[in-house]
Amino acid sequence: MSVVIEEKIVELGGLPLHYREAGQGKTIVFLHGAGGAPPRGASFVVMLAERHRVLIPSRPGFDDTPVGDCKTLLDVVERMAEFIANIAPGKVHLVAQSAGGAIGAWLAIRHPELVENLVLSAPAAFAVRHGPPGGAPPPMEAIEKRLYGDSPSWTAPPSEEERRRIARNARENMGRFTAPEGNGDLKARLSEIAVPVLLICATHDDMIPEAALEPYQEAIPHCTRILIHGAAHEMPISAAPQWVKLVADFVDRGEYFVVNMG
Amino acid sequence: MKFSIFNGMPYGRIRMPGNRWPVPNRYFEPDQARRAVANCLDEVEMEDELGFDWIACAEHHYSPFNLAPNVTVLASALTQKVKRAKIAILGALIPLTGNPVRIAEEYAMIDNLSGGRLVAGLLRGAPYEYLVYNVNPAESRTRFEEAWDLIVRAWTDRMPFGWEGRHFHYRNVSIWPRPLQQPTPPIYVSGSSKESGEFAARKKVGLGLAFTNRPLAAEAAQHYRARCADYGWQPSVEQIVYQLPIYVGETDEEAFETVRPMFAGSTLTGGLVDANRLVATSGFFGRGDTKLVERFRNLAADEPRSVEEAVERGTVICGGPKAALKQIKRLHDEIGCGVLNLIFDRAGSPDKKIRSIQLFAKEVMPEGKTL
């Protein structure tokens, strides 16, 4: 079955919110990282949408979605809750990548009525960000290698325009929504996440140190941690087949995910 | 320098026509196997008392020269006999198993059973081993590296984890017991190839050199040290192990005459040479290791044809105590190895083997340990 990825817009609070939609089946809401919506040629979207309905909202401030009156991380969380309630009423499967991790975790805490289960993929909330070192920033190719590794999975590699979009998203939004209560407050409330959580980590992630991932497994009552061997930080792209296999299996089988059923 | 003694639990001679591999087990005689087991377990007690630093064993398959297809089973027995020396597993062939977590568990058990005396060799194996469990030799390197990462992760991660790799898949790993030695027992990998030396340097672990010769081992050790420097560290001399057979006699003449019959023909059976050639030329070695591929293309031709030649090439230590010590010093100086893993099974008879071990321990080892 060929998968069509549609570009859509929904109006929330009088402002447009751009999102992509593909496939049919159980609804997966993919919460993107600091670069915004994944490159259009990222294979994982098609792979995931072969048996699932995949929604990829561009959060306020990212891509073509205006920031509106969102000032804090929790403002963004509420906007995402509004998005889910409008576009996919009932419970959805949240899949949160990197900077999307804090949004996903907060949604599970504040809106458990919207969340069936949660995948945290290299979540970034507790990673310490270092200020840019002196001198020129690293070339885009070096950053992409850190993100996507040696074997990224594309149906088509990102265009120059897309690469500029991703760089702009990261530049404009990194740190923009740091709430006064910060992620320390999130850490204190992780234990309130009642839904099953799959924490996926990359063994070759040089963006998020392992120590920054420990709080999730320590605090969340039903958290399974899986390492993808050899993967770089942006696992949906750096290790698409393994990552999609894990996510789809978790979405489809829930708590039976840990049982090998052939 | 430290001295390790290898105990492969050899079965002894078999009466088999031809040189085939695998060796048909129709030639297996239970009484002879009982003696082999008893000899091995008696000998390791003696070797421990004589002062060897490591008592070593290894995994090999389908062959009478080493009755330990599961090396941790043998190591487990050794822990109950060896009270002082380290138990060196050199090692399990980690790409061959479908379950590296089991190796992590078993090694951790051995470390616990021995009171924290495990030396953990995690090896890729000789080429022919890839015919044993039907493993694609071209996948040997990736299977090895993934299994290695998984085993070390299982020893060191303090929370349950799952694993999604190219070769291995788990949803729950949390081994009990963990190794006693923290963060891990001392780890060695085999390193005759450039890729292996690079891997050992990158992972900051020790290097084992076996089934090679002194010039090739010196080259491999130099490559390893250079790559370690590139990664910002220097290995200790004890992190380079060289393995070879040894026979120490009362005199040089007696030693040479004892060992000489074993050099009348190739020490490798024709079947084993063929098996090694088939695998070695099927992608087992990396692209930069053409020299090794060529060597395995005709391994028998590369074998020394005399004891004198073998001594000169550093593939055997043979002689009276003084000559043996001189050869050890040369290995130490040229390879830079800090541990010799010695195989005493070239003696021709069990009695001569014991005498050779005792002579070595009394007349060679004390001064050798000062190197």
Side-chain angles (χ1 to χ4, degrees), chain A residues 203-204 210 217-218 224-229 242-243 245-246 249 253 256-259, chain B residues 142 145-146 149-150 153 157-166 169-172 202:
Chain A
T203 59
H204 289 56
E210 283 201 35
Q217 192 180 17
E218 293 281 354
T224 300
R225 178 173 55 120
I226 306 272
L227 304 159
I228 298 184
H229 184 245
Q242 298 98 316
W243 186 87
K245 176 184 162 191
L246 289 172
D249 200 20
R253 297 202 296 135
Y256 286 93
F257 166 78
V258 296
V259 183
Chain B
T142 57
E145 294 197 5
E146 186 180 335
D149 284 348
L150 177 51
R153 167 74 64 170
D157 206 314
R158 296 293 176 262
M159 290 290 280
F161 68 92
W163 186 269
E164 191 63 39
R166 178 175 166 191
H169 313 275
Y170 298 84
R171 293 286 158 91
N172 291 290
R202 178 158 44 94

Side-chain angles (χ1 to χ4, degrees), chain B residues 47-369:
Chain B
E47 292 155 6
D48 191 31
E49 288 164 8
L50 286 172
F52 283 90
D53 299 287
W54 299 0
I55 308 293
C57 50
E59 171 183 335
H60 289 292
H61 297 267
Y62 298 178
S63 180
F65 74 82
N66 184 95
L67 300 182
N70 183 336
V71 67
T72 50
V73 173
L74 175 56
S76 178
L78 298 187
T79 63
Q80 302 309 298
K81 294 285 184 179
V82 177
K83 303 302 180 192
R84 180 197 51 79
K86 290 185 182 295
I87 309 292
I89 303 181
L90 302 174
L93 308 182
I94 63 174
L96 294 189
T97 174
N99 192 350
V101 173
R102 183 60 177 249
I103 294 173
E105 290 179 316
E106 291 181 352
Y107 271 45
M109 275 187 71
I110 299 299
D111 202 38
N112 279 260
L113 284 166
S114 65
R117 287 180 292 136
L118 171 67
V119 173
L122 300 171
L123 307 189
R124 201 155 69 103
Y128 77 91
E129 311 274 9
Y130 285 76
L131 301 181
V132 169
Y133 293 157
N134 200 33
V135 173
N136 180 353
E139 290 185 348
S140 163
R141 172 63 53 193
T142 57
R143 286 178 70 91
F144 171 78
E145 294 197 5
E146 186 180 335
W148 196 97
D149 284 348
L150 177 51
I151 289 166
V152 174
R153 167 74 64 170
W155 285 340
T156 55
D157 206 314
R158 296 293 176 262
M159 290 290 280
F161 68 92
W163 186 269
E164 191 63 39
R166 178 175 166 191
H167 303 290
F168 308 109
H169 313 275
Y170 298 84
R171 293 286 158 91
N172 291 290
V173 179
S174 184
I175 68 166
W176 282 76
R178 278 170 34 207
L180 291 184
Q181 297 177 86
Q182 297 297 312
T184 71
I187 300 174
Y188 289 79
V189 301
S190 51
S192 296
S193 74
K194 286 182 176 167
E195 282 182 328
S196 298
E198 155 75 23
F199 179 84
R202 178 158 44 94
K203 298 294 187 183
K204 299 187 177 177
V205 297
L207 191 75
L209 299 161
F211 306 112
T212 181
N213 57 51
R214 191 179 51 243
L216 285 176
E219 192 179 314
Q222 180 52 35
H223 172 70
Y224 166 65
R225 282 189 291 265
R227 298 303 292 133
C228 290
D230 291 342
Y231 285 104
W233 71 291
Q234 274 302 317
S236 69
V237 288
E238 281 183 29
Q239 285 182 296
I240 300 177
V241 179
Y242 184 63
Q243 174 181 296
L244 79 171
I246 182 171
Y247 182 78
V248 180
E250 302 285 352
T251 64
D252 292 353
E253 293 71 24
E254 186 259 311
F256 274 65
E257 290 316 308
T258 299
V259 173
R260 198 174 302 285
M262 273 153 270
F263 286 84
S266 170
T267 56
L268 296 167
T269 65
L272 195 61
V273 170
D274 285 343
N276 271 311
R277 174 179 54 79
L278 290 173
V279 176
T281 55
S282 298
F284 179 77
F285 292 112
R287 285 182 191 161
D289 286 313
T290 50
K291 200 189 280 186
L292 278 172
V293 175
E294 285 310 308
R295 181 168 178 252
F296 275 92
R297 203 179 286 282
N298 193 354
L299 203 51
D302 191 54
E303 283 263 288
R305 296 299 171 196
S306 67
V307 191
E308 289 78 3
E309 186 187 343
V311 168
E312 177 54 31
R313 292 175 62 180
T315 62
V316 71
I317 295 169
C318 185
K322 279 187 181 170
L325 192 60
K326 190 176 170 188
Q327 291 162 39
I328 287 168
K329 188 168 187 318
R330 189 174 175 193
L331 292 169
H332 173 267
D333 292 346
E334 293 186 19
I335 299 171
C337 52
V339 182
L340 282 182
N341 188 31
L342 301 169
I343 304 170
F344 281 83
D345 295 329
R346 289 267 177 104
S349 76
D351 290 346
K352 284 194 168 183
K353 176 183 171 184
I354 299 296
R355 183 64 192 137
S356 178
I357 292 170
Q358 290 170 334
L359 255 179
F360 176 84
K362 186 179 175 196
E363 304 289 342
V364 181
M365 193 156 62
E367 193 171 337
K369 285 193 177 189

Side-chain angles (χ1 to χ4, degrees), chain A:
Chain A
M1 186 184 79
S2 68
V3 171
V4 177
I5 303 173
E6 297 179 276
E7 303 277 352
K8 294 186 172 181
I9 302 172
V10 61
E11 196 160 299
L12 298 174
L15 287 173
L17 188 143
H18 291 251
Y19 68 101
R20 296 180 198 164
E21 179 167 355
Q24 292 181 324
K26 291 182 177 178
T27 301
I28 293 171
V29 175
F30 180 83
L31 298 169
H32 60 67
R40 287 180 181 79
S43 307
F44 82 91
V45 179
V46 172
M47 295 160 76
L48 211 50
E50 283 175 356
R51 290 189 296 110
H52 303 88
R53 179 190 183 205
V54 180
L55 299 171
I56 306 176
S58 290
R59 296 195 294 276
F62 288 86
D63 304 322
D64 294 324
T65 298
V67 69
D69 58 357
C70 286
K71 291 187 174 56
T72 70
L73 194 72
L74 294 182
D75 292 339
V76 178
V77 171
E78 291 310 311
R79 188 61 57 85
M80 286 298 99
E82 213 177 330
F83 170 79
I84 294 168
N86 273 270
I87 303 299
K91 291 190 173 184
V92 300
H93 303 271
L94 281 182
V95 178
Q97 169 66 26
S98 190
I103 308 290
W106 275 119
L107 276 167
I109 293 167
R110 293 167 69 100
H111 293 282
E113 76 282 1
L114 299 177
V115 183
E116 182 72 32
N117 54 28
L118 171 64
V119 176
L120 294 171
S121 177
F126 309 124
V128 176
R129 294 194 196 290
H130 298 288
M140 195 63 187
E141 288 74 17
I143 295 172
E144 288 178 345
K145 189 169 167 58
R146 291 178 72 196
L147 287 170
Y148 306 142
D150 294 325
S151 308
S153 186
W154 308 113
T155 55
S159 64
E160 281 306 311
E161 184 273 329
E162 281 214 297
R163 296 169 84 193
R164 282 196 295 273
R165 171 181 68 82
I166 290 165
R168 186 179 62 246
N169 276 326
R171 189 174 59 246
E172 292 179 356
N173 292 296
M174 291 277 265
R176 178 186 244 180
F177 300 110
T178 305
E181 59 269 43
N183 289 325
D185 190 43
L186 174 62
K187 192 182 286 186
R189 296 188 59 184
L190 284 175
S191 61
E192 295 175 34
I193 296 179
V195 299
V197 173
L198 171 61
L199 174 63
I200 311 179
C201 312
T203 59
H204 289 56
D205 189 339
D206 63 356
M207 312 283 277
I208 308 289
E210 283 201 35
L213 301 171
E214 289 171 2
Y216 299 99
Q217 192 180 17
E218 293 281 354
I220 298 171
H222 306 290
C223 180
T224 300
R225 178 173 55 120
I226 306 272
L227 304 159
I228 298 184
H229 184 245
H233 175 69
E234 200 72 17
M235 289 176 281
I237 292 166
S238 72
Q242 298 98 316
W243 186 87
V244 168
K245 176 184 162 191
L246 289 172
V247 170
D249 200 20
F250 185 65
V251 166
D252 293 342
R253 297 202 296 135
E255 64 178 337
Y256 286 93
F257 166 78
V258 296
V259 183
N260 182 349
M261 295 169 78

